[in-house]
Amino acid sequence: MELFANLALGFQTAVSPMNLLYCLVGALIGTLIGVLPGIGPVQTIAILMPTTFSLPPVSALIMLSGIYYGAQYGGSTTSILVNVPGEASSVVTCLDGYQMALQGRAGAALTISALGSFVAGCFATVVLAVLAVPLSELAFKFGPAEYFSLMVFGLIGSIVLASGSMIKAVGMIVLGLLLGMIGTDVTSGVQRFAFGIPELADGIGFVSLAMGLFGICDIINSLEKKQSRDILKGKLAGLWLSKADLKASAPAVLRGTLCGSLLGILPGGGAILSSFTAYMLEKKSSRNPESFGKGNIRGVAAPESANNAAAQTSFVPLLTLGIPPNVVLAMMAGAMMIHGIQPGPRVISSNPELFWGVIVAMWLGNAILVLLNLPLVGIWVRLLSVPFRRLYPAILLFCCIGLYSVNNNTFDIGLTAFCGLLGYIFHKLDCEPAPLILGFILGPMMEENLRRGMLLSRGDPSVFFTRPLSLGFLLAAAAMLVMLALPAIRRGREVAFKEK
């Protein structure tokens, strides 16, 4: 009964005209950036974050979350019709979705993508609502030792699941931890690593770092590429699914939903990992694996369900434990902190309208996306004919306006440009910036809990190993590293990321 009372509170919050408007805006922007190749939810959230500072926290989070799961919807449209993944998690949808389009079944592919995403999104939202209160109550039993060990586990998980070299992922996390130390020491009040620059007294701004590493860097990388898009010609028809299509795709939607719901919760997981895992599981469980890649509807249903489920269950560790499982949720954590809200178990008790309002808004957002996606397919595809070189000047202008509006300081613009150059160098060195952002967000919290734990234990480091929960997280982190050291698992990881 308590759950229904909480959901009723969420409906009261989410169905207000203002919050409904921002839910619609977030869903539309998310679909748009999912359609346009080269502009993902990370870059968009980084660019739009300054515009949310004047909004109420509930409206800001509803819009930002709508951008995240809306991008998963939009990415499938161009994957199916144009064979160009608008969003990274939609890469695998190209394999069978575009083949279905070439066979004249684009309508069926788009419909199963939308319906699978809707079912998965609704299920994942239920999972979030059910797990929220128990996990938050468990989190209240955490002390500094448990929180420190949990963050170590999260960072190790992001290293294991990061694409590319594990050594480079470790280096990026360490760099993120070091950047997070810049500013004023909370305990002593002494400035650290500020180099006498007054603007760094409060540390590097999260908005500047995120917008530089993802927004500005992505613009530079996109301008280097010469993109040729073979847009599918002809009228879109056949949106209704046949009984055979429903029979074949329903189990795939279910399996993709369960796979995405689980992997979305894990540290380092998310929509990208979930969509590839669901596709591989579907292919291995099929009696005709050779049909995948040739227009099998299950190859569209499973990954599209998985990436939407993962996009929404990834909010579970952020809102209940305060740990962002991937870089997009790290952005959301930064947005919450800017609004004066500390992610974690206290969100439910101190801001119940925000917590349950965001959950209910996810349900409404999924319904909005289904109603909007199919009718607007023609408009989304026409947008692909606009060259990126005509879009980036406006994007840069809005970036600079948003940055200056945060503190009315030109230093932030210069810092963002420097971070953009740094991100470009990382890209050329094949260093993924996502672990850096996770290290930057979790670093100050790790340091605070480490020092608090040592103070409470009077300098005895065994406190991290004698408390059961803390020891469990550390053992789980060690187990992941040991498993990754095994040659067979390491080769499997490399093969999986090569397929990506």
Side-chain angles (χ1 to χ4, degrees):
M1 294 300 293
E2 184 181 359
L3 176 62
F4 291 109
N6 290 330
L7 291 176
L9 175 63
F11 269 104
Q12 289 178 2
T13 305
V15 298
S16 69
M18 185 62 67
N19 289 335
L20 276 176
L21 174 63
Y22 284 110
C23 183
L24 174 63
V25 169
L28 278 173
I29 294 176
T31 304
L32 174 63
I33 60 102
V35 166
L36 292 174
I39 307 177
V42 178
Q43 295 87 342
T44 306
I45 290 174
I47 291 169
L48 292 181
M49 197 180 298
T51 66
T52 66
F53 296 165
S54 60
L55 300 178
V58 180
S59 301
L61 288 178
I62 285 175
M63 187 180 80
L64 293 177
S65 59
I67 291 172
Y68 182 31
Y69 57 78
Q72 314 309 321
Y73 275 79
S76 64
T77 301
T78 47
S79 295
I80 293 169
L81 296 180
V82 192
N83 200 28
V84 175
E87 163 57 18
S89 60
S90 299
V91 170
V92 72
T93 308
C94 294
L95 300 176
D96 286 280
Y98 187 64
Q99 292 301 317
M100 288 182 67
L102 292 178
Q103 297 165 16
R105 304 184 63 214
L110 289 169
T111 299
I112 195 58
S113 171
L115 292 179
S117 299
F118 176 73
V119 171
C122 291
F123 178 83
T125 307
V126 172
V127 171
L128 174 56
V130 171
L131 292 181
V133 175
L135 280 178
S136 63
E137 290 177 354
L138 174 65
F140 277 121
K141 299 179 181 179
F142 284 19
E146 286 80 6
Y147 267 113
F148 173 79
S149 301
L150 176 61
M151 292 173 192
V152 170
F153 173 70
L155 290 179
I156 295 296
S158 67
I159 292 172
V160 172
L161 295 174
S163 60
S165 168
M166 190 176 72
I167 299 299
K168 291 180 180 178
V170 171
M172 295 299 282
I173 278 190
V174 171
L175 179 58
L177 294 173
L178 293 174
L179 291 176
M181 294 177 65
I182 295 174
T184 303
D185 187 296
V186 177
T187 305
S188 64
V190 176
Q191 288 188 18
R192 304 180 301 183
F193 312 113
F195 304 103
I197 302 174
E199 288 84 358
L200 292 180
D202 293 328
I204 294 177
F206 175 75
V207 176
S208 296
L209 182 66
M211 193 179 291
L213 287 178
F214 293 99
I216 306 299
C217 174
D218 197 70
I219 289 173
I220 300 173
N221 292 330
S222 297
L223 290 175
E224 283 188 341
K225 300 174 184 176
K226 293 183 178 179
Q227 297 176 343
S228 59
R229 300 166 187 164
D230 184 19
I231 300 178
L232 192 69
K233 306 294 182 182
K235 186 178 179 181
L236 189 65
L239 293 175
W240 294 104
L241 296 174
S242 65
K243 289 184 179 180
D245 287 336
L246 284 173
K247 184 177 179 181
S249 57
V253 169
L254 177 61
R255 285 188 289 266
T257 299
L258 294 175
C259 175
S261 298
L262 175 62
L263 292 178
I265 298 174
L266 298 178
I272 301 174
L273 178 67
S274 301
S275 62
F276 279 88
T277 304
Y279 186 83
M280 288 188 289
L281 289 176
E282 206 62 34
K283 187 175 181 179
K284 290 186 180 297
S285 64
S286 174
R287 295 180 180 177
N288 301 304
E290 66 279 357
S291 65
F292 283 79
K294 300 178 181 178
N296 192 323
I297 195 170
R298 291 169 60 183
V300 177
E304 284 302 310
S305 301
N307 64 33
N308 278 273
Q312 298 188 49
T313 56
S314 56
F315 281 84
V316 172
L318 173 66
L319 294 177
T320 59
L321 301 176
I323 306 296
N326 55 57
V327 65
V328 179
L329 272 297
M331 297 280 188
M332 299 288 285
M336 292 176 71
M337 292 177 185
I338 290 171
H339 280 278
I341 299 170
Q342 181 65 40
R346 297 192 183 278
V347 173
I348 298 180
S349 56
S350 61
N351 295 281
E353 296 86 0
L354 180 144
F355 184 87
W356 295 105
V358 169
I359 289 180
V360 171
M362 290 182 183
W363 270 322
L364 299 176
N366 278 286
I368 289 172
L369 285 166
V370 170
L371 295 175
L372 288 179
N373 240 25
L374 296 178
L376 296 180
V377 163
I379 295 175
W380 301 135
V381 174
R382 288 191 192 97
L383 285 173
L384 289 169
S385 61
V386 180
F388 186 76
R389 64 180 182 274
R390 296 182 182 176
L391 295 177
Y392 84 87
I395 295 174
L396 280 176
L397 175 63
F398 286 119
C399 283
C400 293
I401 293 173
L403 280 167
Y404 185 78
S405 66
V406 175
N407 295 316
N408 294 331
N409 193 341
T410 55
F411 177 83
D412 294 339
I413 298 177
L415 180 61
T416 304
F418 175 77
C419 292
L421 179 61
L422 195 64
Y424 181 72
I425 295 172
F426 290 152
H427 176 77
K428 291 300 182 183
L429 296 175
D430 290 326
C431 295
E432 190 179 358
L436 187 151
I437 289 291
L438 289 173
F440 182 79
I441 289 289
L442 294 180
M445 292 189 285
M446 280 184 66
E447 181 190 9
E448 181 183 353
N449 284 288
L450 173 64
R451 294 170 71 172
R452 286 176 58 198
M454 294 294 286
L455 285 171
L456 291 174
S457 65
R458 298 184 179 180
D460 183 7
S462 65
V463 67
F464 299 102
F465 304 97
T466 54
R467 296 176 69 93
L469 279 174
S470 177
L471 178 62
F473 287 128
L474 292 177
L475 289 176
M480 283 195 291
L481 290 177
V482 170
M483 289 176 61
L484 192 62
L486 299 176
I489 294 179
R490 189 169 62 249
R491 283 195 299 269
R493 175 183 179 272
E494 291 172 357
V495 169
F497 284 120
K498 281 181 182 178
E499 291 180 1
K500 281 174 68 175

